[in-house]
Amino acid sequence: MRDHLSTGGSGLSSSPDAAEPAFAEHERIVRAVLRRSPYRAREAMEAHLPSSFDRRRGQHPEG
C-alpha cells in the first residue's frame, strides 16, 4: 500500500469512470471493518488493491 501511495495512488482519481468503482470498493472495506469482520475486510482489500492498480495504470500509461 505504501508503494501504491508513493506512486500517486492518493485515492483521488482524475477519471470520473474510476471514481464509482473505487468508492464502492472503499465502502465495502469500511462496512467490513465496522462489522468487525477481519476476513471480509481482508477479502475486500485484496479485491480493491489490484483494481486500484489497474485503474491507476490506465491513467498513467508507461512509455
Side-chain angles (χ1 to χ4, degrees):
M1 182 163 213
R2 278 190 196 122
D3 290 342
H4 179 54
L5 291 173
S6 69
T7 58
S10 66
L12 301 174
S13 173
S14 60
S15 169
D17 294 335
E20 190 172 327
F23 182 81
E25 292 164 5
H26 289 162
E27 193 171 46
R28 183 175 171 218
I29 295 163
V30 169
R31 274 195 315 250
V33 170
L34 291 175
R35 290 180 179 153
R36 297 176 187 225
S37 176
Y39 174 78
R40 290 192 191 268
R42 180 185 181 112
E43 190 176 67
M45 280 300 299
E46 287 176 345
H48 168 63
L49 289 176
S51 297
S52 177
F53 290 139
D54 289 344
R55 283 190 298 270
R56 193 50 77 170
R57 200 172 324 142
Q59 289 178 8
H60 303 288
E62 295 182 31

